[in-house]
Amino acid sequence: MYRIVSKLLIYGDMPKDSILMELSDICKQADSGSESAEVLVTRAFQQVKRLLVLATDYGFDKNLWHNYLTFLLITDENPFSLTCEKVGANDGSVNYFAKSDFQMFRELFDYDFGKLEKKLGIDCFTHLTHYRAIGKPELMYNKNVSEKVQALSEQLEKTHNEEEFFVCVTNFYRDYGVGMFGLNKAFRIRTEEGNRMFFQPINNMDKVMLQDLIGYEIQKKKLVENTTAFVEGKRANNVLLFGDSGTGKSTSIKAIVNEFYDRGLRMIEIYKHQFQDLSNVIAQIKNRNYKFIIYMDDLSFEEFEIEYKFLKAVIEGGVETKPENILIYATSNRRHLIKETWKDRDDVEAENGMHRSDTMEEKLSLVNRFGVMINYSKPTQKEYFRIVVELAKRAGVTMEEEEICREANKWELSHGGISGRTAQQFVNYLAGGRRILER
């Protein structure tokens, strides 16, 4: 194996602690006899366990070795794979080196672990090629990733040469992209020691769709129109969804990502304390072949908080223009985002009957950077009953509508008032088998 891995050029700079590089070194040490069999068995078992963990995380099945190699190919961000993501596999000298690497991967696909197993007295690798996953597919957090990896793995198994292998891999890069952005819908950012920032996939994102949000048709229409223009490469605006809590603002954003994922839309959720990293985030995604929504949930600032200044500079007004593949979508219970105080009016100037306050203008200038502002107001009681009845039908609740509305009215009086969230909580209560509220 180590002789095969040593011939990789484009894909040859994998971390030394990766499963492939560790197994390659184990094979090398086994051939040279420079390490005891007991130590090598322990190291081999450690890599097998890592393969099993990967299989559990992503729901891999059948040939775990092939799944793992495929996973490496579609997550390795190198100049070749990134170019294929943006413009496809055009003719060029780099293709020669890529096909050479793919020939090595074909040999890795066909690698016979029998020699190593015999030398170490183990048989675990043989079992990895006929693996049966435990658990139901619908319960997997990474079902989307699992399906893509296994589908490509099965295609690569059927290739006869590096030319066919090349076509399969580059077609995947063109259709889905490369790396975690090609496999996942949404991400958070994390910072490790040394201020190294990386994107962490959100694997258990809510699968809600816009049709699941009852009512708010005008609001959803505005959101869809802006997002459609964005993914089609047309002019689009940053969006602020504001209004009462529990009305579906955050749900609408999640639904938009689910609706437009297949058209290249991705979401990066960022928190207030991370706004100083916004420039770094944008630098890492501005040249990717995706459309990114930078999502800020429950956005608001107290008087003493100055993080909004980072946000203002990034959205509009900084030296560097915001890339065309990035928009900011935010939700807030406040329309003006930054809390105003009576002190803000201390610097009010009057001239020709007009009043101006520099402090108030400074605070209002942030909300003005959102070109689309959508109001999600609290539903009326009639709208609330309609939401409850529709949710109850979808949940399979068999009570009469009149009774549902009567009990929903009692529920909202003691559970935070009328809202879509209250309606959903009430229906969850009913669907759990509790039919009548305590009187």
Side-chain angles (χ1 to χ4, degrees):
M1 182 184 293
Y2 58 93
R3 292 189 179 93
I4 301 173
V5 172
S6 67
K7 296 178 183 178
L8 292 174
L9 192 154
I10 295 175
Y11 295 85
D13 59 348
M14 297 179 190
K16 292 187 180 297
D17 62 349
S18 65
I19 297 174
L20 178 60
M21 300 305 286
E22 287 284 355
L23 288 176
S24 176
D25 187 63
I26 290 171
C27 291
K28 184 176 182 180
Q29 299 298 333
D31 278 357
S32 66
S34 57
E35 194 85 73
S36 68
E38 290 78 7
V39 171
L40 293 179
V41 167
T42 300
R43 291 180 60 192
F45 283 169
Q46 289 173 343
Q47 302 315 308
V48 170
K49 181 179 178 180
R50 292 176 67 187
L51 283 170
L52 293 173
V53 170
L54 191 70
T56 301
D57 287 345
Y58 291 99
F60 294 158
D61 207 349
K62 299 177 182 177
N63 195 318
L64 299 191
W65 176 240
H66 289 178
N67 290 164
Y68 168 67
L69 293 175
T70 303
F71 186 75
L72 284 183
L73 284 168
I74 64 181
T75 56
D76 193 298
E77 296 179 359
N78 57 62
F80 173 75
S81 61
L82 290 172
T83 299
C84 289
E85 175 188 282
K86 290 185 71 70
V87 298
N90 294 330
D91 293 334
S93 299
V94 71
N95 289 359
Y96 169 82
F97 300 108
K99 290 175 183 177
S100 176
D101 276 14
F102 292 155
Q103 177 57 38
M104 295 305 104
F105 266 95
R106 289 193 74 249
E107 293 185 22
L108 288 171
F109 261 69
D110 297 334
Y111 187 77
D112 183 7
F113 283 96
K115 181 181 176 182
L116 178 64
E117 290 181 322
K118 184 176 180 180
K119 186 169 289 189
L120 300 182
I122 57 179
D123 65 353
C124 51
F125 292 103
T126 301
H127 290 286
L128 293 181
T129 60
H130 301 86
Y131 185 74
R132 293 182 60 188
I134 299 175
K136 298 180 180 180
E138 61 269 19
L139 298 179
M140 294 187 315
Y141 283 153
N142 293 279
K143 186 177 180 181
N144 178 60
V145 177
S146 176
E147 290 174 345
K148 285 186 171 63
V149 172
Q150 292 188 88
L152 180 58
S153 178
E154 291 177 3
Q155 290 181 38
L156 296 177
E157 290 171 353
K158 298 173 183 177
T159 60
H160 297 93
N161 51 52
E162 66 272 20
E163 296 286 344
E164 294 179 3
F165 202 99
F166 178 90
V167 171
C168 289
V169 175
T170 55
N171 282 349
F172 184 94
Y173 290 155
R174 180 198 62 203
D175 295 339
Y176 299 105
V178 60
M180 287 294 102
F181 289 136
L183 295 173
N184 297 276
K185 299 176 183 179
F187 306 82
R188 295 188 180 94
I189 63 171
R190 286 185 56 188
T191 304
E192 292 185 336
E193 293 182 11
N195 292 324
R196 188 179 76 87
M197 191 200 76
F198 67 96
F199 297 98
Q200 180 181 29
I202 300 174
N203 296 320
N204 56 343
M205 182 174 164
D206 194 347
K207 297 180 181 179
V208 65
M209 305 298 280
L210 284 172
Q211 65 187 25
D212 297 327
L213 182 64
I214 302 169
Y216 299 98
E217 299 305 325
I218 296 175
Q219 290 87 338
K220 290 188 291 186
K221 185 173 184 289
K222 289 181 180 179
L223 193 58
V224 168
E225 287 176 348
N226 191 73
T227 309
T228 299
F230 180 46
V231 298
E232 291 179 352
K234 301 174 184 178
R235 293 292 185 94
N237 287 298
N238 301 309
V239 179
L240 174 65
L241 283 65
F242 70 94
D244 299 301
S245 61
T247 51
K249 301 184 295 294
S250 300
T251 300
S252 295
I253 301 293
K254 296 172 189 174
I256 280 290
V257 176
N258 290 327
E259 299 271 2
F260 287 88
Y261 165 70
D262 289 338
R263 300 173 66 178
L265 185 67
R266 302 293 184 268
M267 181 181 79
I268 298 174
E269 184 176 23
I270 189 167
Y271 301 108
K272 193 188 304 182
H273 69 276
Q274 298 172 319
F275 283 0
Q276 59 187 348
D277 298 321
L278 269 172
S279 296
N280 191 14
V281 171
I282 291 174
Q284 293 194 40
I285 63 178
K286 65 181 181 181
N287 293 320
R288 298 304 298 268
N289 196 33
Y290 303 96
K291 301 294 184 180
F292 290 95
I293 287 175
I294 296 180
Y295 171 50
M296 303 167 184
D297 190 29
D298 197 18
L299 185 64
S300 63
F301 301 91
E302 298 301 322
E303 181 186 6
F304 58 87
E305 294 178 314
I306 62 171
E307 288 90 345
Y308 72 92
K309 295 180 182 291
F310 292 110
L311 182 55
K312 281 175 58 179
V314 168
I315 295 180
E316 195 177 308
V319 175
E320 184 177 12
T321 304
K322 182 167 64 66
E324 293 183 356
N325 69 327
I326 298 171
L327 283 182
I328 294 175
Y329 281 20
T331 66
S332 178
N333 294 337
R334 295 178 184 170
R335 179 169 185 169
H336 291 147
L337 301 181
I338 306 171
K339 186 176 182 179
E340 296 181 56
T341 66
W342 286 107
K343 290 193 301 181
D344 295 340
R345 303 176 183 269
D346 290 345
D347 64 348
V348 173
E349 299 176 0
E351 184 177 348
N352 296 327
M354 299 294 291
H355 295 79
R356 180 175 63 84
S357 167
D358 287 340
T359 303
M360 291 170 65
E361 287 294 325
E362 161 79 4
K363 290 189 172 184
L364 292 175
S365 63
L366 173 59
V367 74
N368 292 335
R369 282 168 163 77
F370 290 89
V372 175
M373 291 184 283
I374 305 175
N375 181 19
Y376 280 69
S377 57
K378 186 180 298 185
T380 64
Q381 188 170 63
K382 183 178 180 181
E383 291 170 333
Y384 169 68
F385 288 154
R386 185 170 73 86
I387 293 171
V388 168
V389 169
E390 181 61 31
L391 289 176
K393 287 180 180 178
R394 295 180 184 182
V397 175
T398 57
M399 293 169 58
E400 295 293 330
E401 289 188 13
E402 184 178 341
E403 185 180 10
I404 290 176
C405 293
R406 183 170 61 250
E407 300 302 331
N409 188 50
K410 297 176 184 176
W411 177 273
E412 64 91 1
L413 290 173
S414 59
H415 290 82
I418 292 173
S419 72
R421 179 181 296 143
T422 302
Q424 183 64 66
Q425 291 170 346
F426 170 66
V427 171
N428 291 344
Y429 177 89
L430 291 183
R434 292 150 292 185
R435 290 288 179 264
I436 304 297
L437 302 183
E438 293 183 5
R439 289 171 167 77

